C-alpha cells in the first residue's frame, strides 16, 4: 500500500503504452499526398483556362503599349518591334500626371465621404428602435431602383444653380449623404455585432457618437474597407460624371477616363491625328496600376468582410 503524506501530491501515473501509441503514430505518419483524380484535373484545367481568359486583355494591353504605331492592333502578344521609349514619350504627349492626380484625389474624396456618411446612417438603422424604421429603410432601398438617367438632369440643374460646374465638387458632393447600397451593406454588418457591447457602454456613460466611433467602427473595419474600395473604383471609372461636369475646362483638369477618351480623339486619323494609339495603350495601362495596388493592399479586408457576411447569412 502506498502511503500519502499530508501536504504532498501524488505523482501522476504514467499513461499506458497503448494510450500513447496513437498520438505517436499520428505525429509520425507522413502527410498524405493529394491524389490527382480526373475531377481534380478537370477543375484545374478549367481554372487555368478561365484565368488565362481574364488575363488576356491585360497581356494584350501590355504588348500593345510596347509596339510602334503601325503594329498596335496586330494582336501579337509578343511585339515584333519593341518600343520602350513609349513609356518615356507619354509624359510629353499627354498630361497624364494631371489626370492621375485628379482621379486619385476625386476618388479618395468620394470614397471617404460615402464610407463615413453611409456608416453613420447604417448604424442609426441598426441600433436605434423607432416607429417607422423599417418603412424608412425600405424607402432608402427603393432609391436603388431609380435609373441614373432619371436623376441625371435634375442633379445637373442643382449643381448649376450652386455655381459649382467645372469643379470637383459634383463628382463627390452627393456622397456626403450616403448611398443606399452601402447603407444596406453596413447595416447588415452592424446587426451582427453583439448589442450587449453597446448597452454596457451606455451604462458607463458613453454617448451615441462614442458608441459608433469607438465600438462599431473598429469592429466593422472589413465592411468599411469593402465600401471604400467599391466606391473608389466607381469614382475612378466615372467617365459620365467627368464628361458632364469637367468637359468644359482645360485638358489638365480631366480625370483619367475622360483624358483617355480625349487621347483617342486626338490620335484618331479622322480628327487629324496620326494614329499614335500606342500612347493611348500606355496611358490605359498606367491608370490601371493604382486600382491594382489598392486592391492588393485591401484584399485581406475584402476577403475577411465577405467571409464574415457569409457566416452571418
Amino acid at each position: 500500500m502506498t502511503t500519502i503524506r499530508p501536504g504532498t501530491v501524488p505523482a501522476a501515473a504514467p499513461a499506458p503504452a497503448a494510450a500513447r501509441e496513437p498520438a505517436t503514430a499520428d505525429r509520425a505518419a507522413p502527410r498524405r499526398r493529394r491524389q490527382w483524380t480526373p475531377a481534380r484535373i478537370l477543375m484545374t484545367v478549367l481554372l487555368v483556362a478561365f484565368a488565362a481568359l481574364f488575363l488576356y486583355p491585360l497581356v494584350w494591353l501590355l504588348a500593345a503599349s510596347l509596339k510602334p504605331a503601325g503594329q498596335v492592333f496586330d494582336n501579337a502578344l509578343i511585339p515584333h518591334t519593341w518600343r520602350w521609349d513609349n513609356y518615356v514619350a507619354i509624359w510629353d504627349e499627354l498630361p497624364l500626371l494631371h489626370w492621375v492626380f485628379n482621379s486619385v484625389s476625386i476618388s479618395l474624396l468620394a470614397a471617404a465621404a460615402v464610407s463615413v456618411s453611409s456608416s453613420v446612417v447604417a448604424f442609426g438603422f441598426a441600433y436605434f428602435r423607432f416607429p417607422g424604421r423599417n418603412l424608412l429603410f425600405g424607402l432608402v432601398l427603393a432609391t436603388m431602383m431609380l435609373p441614373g438617367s432619371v436623376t441625371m438632369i435634375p442633379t445637373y440643374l442643382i449643381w448649376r444653380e450652386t455655381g459649382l460646374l467645372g469643379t470637383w465638387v459634383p463628382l463627390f458632393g452627393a456622397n456626403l449623404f450616403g448611398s443606399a447600397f452601402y447603407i444596406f451593406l453596413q447595416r447588415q454588418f452592424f446587426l451582427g455585432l453583439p448589442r450587449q457591447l453597446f448597452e454596457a457602454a451606455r451604462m458607463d456613460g458613453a454617448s451615441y457618437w462614442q458608441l459608433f466611433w469607438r465600438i462599431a467602427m473598429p469592429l466593422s473595419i472589413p465592411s468599411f474597407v469593402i465600401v471604400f474600395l467599391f466606391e473608389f473604383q466607381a469614382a475612378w471609372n466615372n467617365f459620365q460624371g467627368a464628361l458632364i461636369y469637367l468637359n468644359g475646362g482645360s485638358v489638365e483638369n480631366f480625370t483619367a477616363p475622360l483624358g483617355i477618351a480625349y487621347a483617342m480623339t486626338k490620335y484618331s486619323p479622322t480628327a487629324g491625328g496620326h494614329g499614335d494609339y500606342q500612347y493611348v495603350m500606355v496611358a490605359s495601362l498606367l491608370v490601371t496600376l493604382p486600382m491594382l495596388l489598392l486592391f492588393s493592399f485591401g484584399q485581406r479586408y475584402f476577403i475577411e468582410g465577405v467571409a464574415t457576411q457569409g457566416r452571418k447569412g
Side-chain angles (χ1 to χ4, degrees), residues 71-216:
Q71 302 177 9
V72 172
F73 298 108
D74 61 2
N75 291 328
L77 297 182
I78 299 179
H80 301 291
T81 305
W82 296 82
R83 294 293 301 270
W84 297 98
D85 57 328
N86 291 341
Y87 285 84
V88 178
I90 185 65
W91 310 108
D92 297 326
E93 291 286 335
L94 300 171
L96 187 60
L97 278 179
H98 291 85
W99 297 347
V100 173
F101 175 78
N102 295 338
S103 289
V104 170
S105 301
I106 293 172
S107 299
L108 286 176
L109 291 172
V114 80
S115 299
V116 175
S117 59
S118 299
S119 298
V120 172
V121 178
F123 179 75
F125 279 119
Y127 178 79
F128 295 104
R129 304 287 191 267
F130 54 90
R133 184 186 67 161
N134 294 333
L135 176 61
L136 185 59
F137 183 67
L139 292 176
V140 172
L141 295 183
T143 59
M144 292 192 298
M145 302 297 105
L146 290 175
S149 56
V150 174
T151 59
M152 183 186 304
I153 296 178
T155 302
Y156 176 83
L157 296 177
I158 292 173
W159 289 118
R160 188 188 66 176
E161 293 299 322
T162 59
L164 294 174
L165 295 181
T167 66
W168 292 354
V169 178
L171 298 178
F172 70 88
N175 290 357
L176 294 172
F177 305 97
S179 169
F181 174 71
Y182 299 143
I183 291 172
F184 169 76
L185 182 65
Q186 288 285 74
R187 174 183 176 270
Q188 296 304 112
F189 196 93
F190 288 145
L191 287 176
L193 300 179
R195 192 173 180 84
Q196 293 80 359
L197 294 176
F198 303 104
E199 298 299 335
R202 286 293 294 169
M203 294 179 63
D204 291 337
S207 63
Y208 291 123
W209 174 255
Q210 290 174 333
L211 295 182
F212 167 74
W213 190 251
R214 295 187 178 182
I215 299 179

Side-chain angles (χ1 to χ4, degrees), residues 22-41:
T24 306
D26 292 342
R27 194 181 304 114
R31 297 180 61 182
R32 176 185 293 182
R33 300 180 61 181
R34 292 184 177 181
Q35 297 180 356
W36 287 94
T37 61
R40 184 180 294 274
I41 295 175

Side-chain angles (χ1 to χ4, degrees), residues 86 95 101 138 147-148 220 251 284 296:
N86 291 341
F101 175 78
S220 62
V251 178
S284 301
S296 64

